[in-house]
Amino acid sequence: QVQLQESGPGLVKPSQTLSLTCAVSGGSITTSGYSWTWIRQPPGKGREWIAVIRYDGSTYYNPSLKSRTSISRDTSKNQFSLQLNSVTPEDTAVYYCAGGPGLRVGVQGYDYWGQGTQVTVSS
C-alpha cells in the first residue's frame, strides 16, 4: 500500500526557512489524477491546508501562506517537498503530508497520510 513519510529538522530559528520532504512508497507521485499535499496543525488549533502539487506538477497554494511557501517534487526520488520562508513561532506545528486521487485543497478526504512531524520555531 502507499505509505508517506515526512522528514526534516524539528527545530528552526525565526526568520529562517523550514524545509520538509515527504517520501512516497508503494505508488508513484506521477500517477495520473493524484495530488500530494502539505497540511499543518498548530498546538491547540485545527488543521490548516498549506499547498498541493498534482501528478502533472501543477501547484496550488493557501492564499494566506502563498507568499512564503513553495511546494516542489523530485520524481526520480518519488518525493515532494515544502519550503516555508521567514518562519515565526506561529509556524510551530505538526506538519503532515497526504495524498490521493483527485484534487483537494482542504484538510480532509485524503487516502494516504504521513504520521506527521513536529516542527518548532524558536531561537
Side-chain angles (χ1 to χ4, degrees):
Q1 72 275 22
V2 177
Q3 294 184 323
L4 281 65
Q5 180 65 58
E6 305 93 346
S7 62
L11 180 65
V12 183
K13 295 184 184 300
S15 81
Q16 292 189 342
T17 296
L18 182 164
S19 297
L20 297 172
T21 295
C22 182
V24 180
S25 60
S28 173
I29 62 172
T30 60
T31 298
S32 182
Y34 275 59
S35 299
W36 307 95
T37 196
W38 287 99
I39 291 165
R40 69 181 183 180
Q41 185 165 18
K45 297 182 180 180
R47 290 181 175 180
E48 178 181 34
W49 175 74
I50 302 172
V52 62
I53 187 165
R54 300 212 70 205
Y55 68 99
D56 59 358
S58 57
T59 58
Y60 302 86
Y61 294 92
N62 183 329
S64 68
L65 296 169
K66 184 177 182 179
S67 65
R68 299 194 290 129
T69 306
S70 177
I71 188 170
S72 61
R73 65 179 184 172
D74 185 334
T75 57
S76 67
K77 296 181 179 179
N78 207 40
Q79 61 187 32
F80 61 104
S81 298
L82 173 73
Q83 283 196 323
L84 181 64
N85 302 321
S86 304
V87 297
T88 72
E90 286 66 43
D91 294 310
T92 294
V94 177
Y95 285 75
Y96 298 90
C97 58
L103 173 62
R104 291 177 175 80
V105 293
V107 300
Q108 297 179 342
Y110 300 98
D111 289 0
Y112 316 116
W113 287 82
Q115 62 184 19
T117 187
Q118 173 69 47
V119 177
T120 300
V121 179
S122 175
S123 56

